[in-house]
Amino acid sequence: MDLITAELLGSSGQMGRAAVKLAQARRQLTDGSPAGLVQGVHRTEILLLCGQEEYGPPLERAITAYEELQLNPRSALPAARGPLFAIAMVRLAQCRLARGDRAAALALARTAVSRLRVARRTDVQRAYARIASADLLILEGRARRALEVLAGVDPVFEPDAPLVVFEVTRVRARALLAIGGTDAAARQAAIALRLAEDNGWPLRAVSVSTEFAGTISLDGPPRGPSSGDGLTASLTPRPVTIGSGPGARDEARPAHERLRALEQIGATAARVFEPEELARTTLDEAIRILTAERAFLFLADEAGALAPYLGRDCAGTDLTELTGYSASLVEKVHLDGELLVVTGTEHGAALGAQSVVLHGLRSIMVAPLQLDGRQLGVIYLDSQVAKGIFTPEDAGILTALTHHIATSWETARAARLEISVQSAQHQRELAESLRLALEGMTATLDPQQVLTRLLDSAITLLACSGGWLLTAEQAQPLPLVGPPVTGTEGRVPRVLAAELSSGAPWIAVPLCTSDTTVGVLVLSDGDGLLDTKIDVAAALASQGVTAYERATLFAQVQRLAVEDELTGLANRRHFFSVAERDLAAAARHGRPLCALMIDIDHFKQVNDTHGHPTGDDVIRVVAQRLQELTRAQDLVGRYGGEEFVVLLPETQSGAEMATRLLKGVADTPVPTRTGPLSVTISIGHTRSAPGAESLNDLLARADRALYAAKHEGRNRAVGD
């Protein structure tokens, strides 16, 4: 299962996650492993390395291991023949990159292409054989013949096999460039680049940009009409960003992943005093979120010297030997105090880290562990298989984690160790109180309750005479950045002036998440000792903000789990859950219930004429009108695309509601970003049958009625 997942992740551009799955499968290999498993590991490794265009020793070792299996290309299973195209394209690429006498490289390429031709069985395999043959012809100086071979690739592959189209356009661009067709080659290269971007293949996109940017312009749309060179399109290549596209993390994912990580680490920090357990949780969460293979934690002693403390792998086990990492990069980050990302062995070598090359480390990210300007240590992550898997988003996540880890680590150590001989008992009581306060804040997932508990805990823990939690707007006169500050009445908002008119000292602690300001915690006391409590207030506020951010993100995730993001209606899953309950209740009590299936008429024309953003405006406004025109007890959901579904409890016939909805949508043009549009809908309605009828059967009848309404001319309602 790990191998299948690795191949699927690799094909979608998620090389980091694919590498983790491959590493897990490789650990399962033993001397007695089935031949199919051994073959699958070598096959998957070849495909992943080729997908990253890694043509060095790691790939050669994988190819050698695969070829030692002595598989017959004619009789091997389809999956076993999979790497043959990848190997052929690698040999062809090595021949292109060879300097001086390339006869040996060309011989290897011819052998690989020949094996691929023998193995072809399916249409896709035949297409790949033609692509490799054409690429070989270019190397042999027969570019025009290569174009003839590529012309034989069936165009039916366009929608169904984007990788075939990508390879065809890339090789065709090479052939056209070889015969002097610069403009035509530019068009083909632009198509290949757009395919790579749209399908989430960032490394392939970088490869196209690198290969053709030096000889032809990819800065603008192709000029002129097609000149008979095959697939053409008017494309403007976009800048390539590793980690973008469908295969990579989207914008919502880091927030969701960070929520889970901070929740886990925060919960652990609140209930344990053992730093080693906190360290394990930290490293495991970093590996899981950032798809690394290994993670190390290095801690600085009192003299500032750095030493390895703990190592974990992607299987969730301790590393018995803390070796095989780049010590020079770890030391560099410790001294500089700045996060470092290494995207490949060649990058590591350029930084002077020879151990990167020695250990075959192909992706590295190292971050300092800091608190209040002090260097506590370093967190190090790496991968030996995936190249360039760490992105700027990953760096942001790791930075947020290290900040939280440093605070939690210090809290755990403070709860465990005596701060000083004179205040040992006080520190133990303070640590226990802080732990209980954190436990209380993390026990709720309501953001407002988190803030309420933060304020109550601060007043109680610091023995304050008063406390206020101001929103960001209320707190504008107060400093919102930097360390906690003490102040006098002149800098306090007027809402607090009366409370602090006695001139009592106060402190203000900014409550800032990673991307916004929640507000300010203001604490007052008449004993004049608040200055000695600033550090405790800051630590408590930091943990409170973390709990607030976690609760906020959790609330967002909960909302998205039941609500359609575009329309705000019940999403399909939530609609089915509630509708099945209502249908069962209606059947149990013998009450009437109706269902409506609704479709926006000629919606494809809206998208084709005005674009998808305008189409989204139409869907959003129609959904709003459906919600406004139905009753409070009715259930309205987005069924999919431009289709909606309505459940009407306690209703004998859906005809009256259907007429009301038709009129409500059609009578007023829909405002969109491209101007008002006249929009109509078609409706199919039906009533639930007596007895135990499934929701699927009920909706199927309504759907048939909807089909009849559209067949009869649209902008009408038909009952079943």
Side-chain angles (χ1 to χ4, degrees):
M1 191 53 147
D2 286 337
L3 288 177
I4 296 174
T5 304
E7 289 191 23
L8 291 174
L9 290 170
S11 65
S12 65
Q14 301 180 69
M15 293 300 177
R17 297 182 183 276
V20 170
K21 289 298 181 182
L22 176 59
Q24 292 171 348
R26 192 186 293 115
R27 288 190 186 90
Q28 300 172 13
L29 292 182
T30 63
D31 292 338
S33 293
L37 179 60
V38 176
Q39 172 192 309
V41 168
H42 296 324
R43 180 187 74 243
T44 304
E45 187 166 17
I46 289 172
L47 294 175
L48 291 184
L49 290 172
C50 289
Q52 301 168 68
E53 298 200 350
E54 168 59 62
Y55 303 142
L59 180 60
E60 292 296 339
R61 288 193 295 269
I63 291 176
T64 299
Y66 173 78
E67 291 178 344
E68 284 176 352
L69 298 175
Q70 297 182 340
L71 299 171
N72 186 332
R74 294 183 184 276
S75 59
L77 293 173
R81 296 196 294 268
L84 293 178
F85 175 70
I87 294 173
M89 298 308 287
V90 165
R91 297 306 185 204
L92 291 164
Q94 289 172 334
C95 188
R96 280 194 302 275
L97 297 172
R99 296 182 178 179
D101 185 7
R102 60 179 188 178
L106 187 58
L108 285 175
R110 285 171 175 156
T111 300
V113 173
S114 177
R115 284 171 57 84
L116 178 61
R117 289 171 182 157
V118 171
R120 59 189 177 183
R121 291 290 183 274
T122 66
D123 289 342
V124 171
Q125 290 168 354
R126 294 186 188 96
Y128 281 143
R130 281 183 172 271
I131 293 167
S133 298
D135 213 10
L136 179 60
L137 287 168
I138 297 170
L139 292 172
E140 293 173 341
R142 295 188 288 168
R144 294 189 184 278
R145 174 57 184 155
L147 290 173
E148 294 174 4
V149 171
L150 289 175
V153 179
D154 194 335
V156 76
F157 289 116
E158 285 188 50
D160 298 327
L163 188 55
V164 172
V165 181
F166 169 83
E167 295 293 355
V168 168
T169 52
R170 179 160 64 168
V171 174
R172 183 178 283 123
R174 290 173 188 150
L176 290 166
L177 195 60
I179 62 175
T182 305
D183 287 349
R187 286 194 294 273
Q188 295 299 306
I191 293 171
L193 180 60
R194 179 61 60 83
L195 281 169
E197 293 174 342
D198 290 347
N199 285 279
W201 303 329
L203 295 174
R204 290 190 179 102
V206 170
S207 173
V208 172
S209 298
T210 302
E211 179 177 357
F212 295 103
T215 52
I216 58 179
S217 174
L218 292 177
D219 296 331
R223 295 167 297 184
S226 169
S227 56
D229 51 289
L231 297 170
T232 58
S234 178
L235 301 174
T236 304
R238 299 184 294 267
V240 178
T241 301
I242 299 297
S244 66
R249 300 176 178 88
D250 55 29
E251 293 179 359
R253 183 182 183 93
H256 180 61
E257 293 287 1
R258 182 179 169 199
L259 164 66
R260 293 178 58 188
L262 294 181
E263 179 181 11
Q264 178 68 25
I265 295 170
T268 302
R271 70 172 184 268
V272 302
F273 293 118
E274 181 52 54
E276 189 165 317
E277 183 179 345
L278 177 60
R280 285 194 174 88
T281 300
T282 297
L283 297 185
D284 288 347
E285 289 300 311
I287 288 172
R288 181 183 63 80
I289 296 173
L290 303 175
T291 63
E293 286 189 74
R294 304 182 306 168
F296 294 84
L297 176 63
F298 302 82
L299 294 180
D301 59 21
E302 293 181 358
L306 205 61
Y309 178 79
L310 182 68
R312 300 280 283 177
D313 62 22
C314 58
T317 58
D318 285 350
L319 297 175
T320 54
E321 294 183 1
L322 304 184
T323 58
Y325 60 87
S326 175
S328 59
L329 295 183
V330 170
E331 190 64 24
K332 175 178 174 60
V333 170
H334 179 55
L335 294 175
D336 296 345
E338 295 180 356
L339 185 142
L340 180 65
V341 176
V342 177
T343 58
T345 50
E346 62 275 10
H347 185 193
L351 291 171
Q354 295 304 316
S355 57
V356 171
V357 180
L358 175 65
H359 300 301
L361 303 174
R362 309 189 62 244
S363 289
I364 300 172
M365 185 156 56
V366 195
L369 204 60
Q370 301 171 327
L371 183 66
D372 297 334
R374 293 182 292 120
Q375 295 282 9
L376 304 181
V378 167
I379 286 186
Y380 169 102
L381 299 95
D382 69 19
S383 172
Q384 290 181 308
V385 177
K387 179 180 181 180
I389 61 170
F390 299 130
T391 69
E393 290 177 347
D394 294 331
I397 293 174
L398 186 58
T399 299
L401 284 175
T402 55
H403 176 76
H404 185 71
I405 293 161
T407 304
S408 300
W409 184 268
E410 286 296 282
T411 300
R413 294 210 314 189
R416 230 178 136 247
L417 304 174
E418 295 181 347
I419 303 301
S420 66
V421 175
Q422 295 80 4
S423 62
Q425 180 60 36
H426 171 70
Q427 292 298 331
R428 284 194 292 271
E429 293 174 354
L430 180 61
E432 176 63 15
S433 299
L434 187 59
R435 184 186 70 82
L436 291 173
L438 298 180
E439 205 170 57
M441 287 186 289
T442 56
T444 178
L445 292 174
D446 184 333
Q448 292 306 313
Q449 284 190 18
V450 170
L451 296 179
T452 299
R453 294 182 184 187
L454 169 61
L455 179 59
D456 292 342
S457 297
I459 293 173
T460 302
L461 190 60
L462 302 178
C464 297
S465 59
W468 300 264
L469 207 158
L470 308 180
T471 65
E473 292 75 20
Q474 293 173 317
Q476 286 306 313
L478 293 174
L480 298 182
V481 294
V485 297
T486 58
T488 59
E489 183 179 336
R491 298 178 63 192
V492 183
R494 284 182 295 175
V495 68
L496 299 179
E499 298 288 346
L500 300 180
S501 58
S502 62
W506 55 272
I507 58 175
V509 186
L511 304 177
C512 301
T513 67
S514 58
D515 53 9
T516 188
T517 299
V518 178
V520 170
L521 177 65
V522 180
L523 301 171
S524 172
D525 199 350
D527 60 11
L529 299 178
L530 272 180
D531 282 351
T532 64
K533 303 174 183 178
I534 288 178
D535 289 342
V536 178
L540 184 61
S542 175
Q543 297 292 346
V545 167
T546 299
Y548 175 85
E549 193 172 26
R550 178 197 68 139
T552 301
L553 291 175
F554 187 87
Q556 292 174 356
V557 171
Q558 273 195 321
R559 179 178 58 80
L560 291 176
V562 299
E563 184 177 291
D564 176 64
E565 188 174 5
L566 176 63
T567 64
L569 300 178
N571 60 24
R572 185 187 179 103
R573 183 180 64 82
H574 184 57
F575 175 87
F576 269 71
S577 175
V578 177
E580 286 177 347
R581 181 196 65 196
D582 290 350
L583 181 61
R588 187 166 55 252
H589 299 292
R591 295 172 179 168
L593 180 145
C594 291
L596 279 64
M597 292 291 290
I598 304 170
D599 187 78
I600 300 175
D601 296 330
H602 303 295
F603 183 75
K604 185 177 184 302
Q605 293 181 11
V606 175
N607 279 339
D608 291 345
T609 304
H610 303 284
H612 289 277
T614 296
D616 288 345
D617 292 342
V618 170
I619 290 176
R620 191 182 300 109
V621 173
V622 169
Q624 179 183 353
R625 292 180 182 178
L626 296 180
Q627 186 75 71
E628 291 171 351
L629 292 169
T630 51
R631 304 168 303 178
Q633 67 266 35
D634 298 333
L635 177 63
V636 185
R638 187 178 180 190
Y639 197 72
E642 71 275 18
E643 204 167 16
F644 303 88
V645 59
V646 179
L647 203 70
L648 306 173
E650 304 289 342
T651 304
Q652 294 286 351
S653 171
E656 182 178 350
M657 178 60 74
T659 301
R660 182 181 181 185
L661 297 179
L662 286 172
K663 182 176 176 60
V665 172
D667 282 1
T668 306
V670 171
T672 72
R673 67 193 68 197
T674 55
L677 298 178
S678 295
V679 175
T680 62
I681 58 176
S682 297
I683 302 177
H685 59 88
T686 188
R687 178 182 174 182
S688 61
E693 181 185 35
S694 72
L695 180 61
N696 286 333
D697 290 341
L698 179 66
L699 296 182
R701 288 195 283 111
D703 195 56
R704 287 193 295 269
L706 171 62
Y707 179 83
K710 297 180 80 67
H711 184 71
E712 293 177 13
R714 296 183 172 85
N715 191 22
R716 66 194 62 222
V718 173
D720 175 65

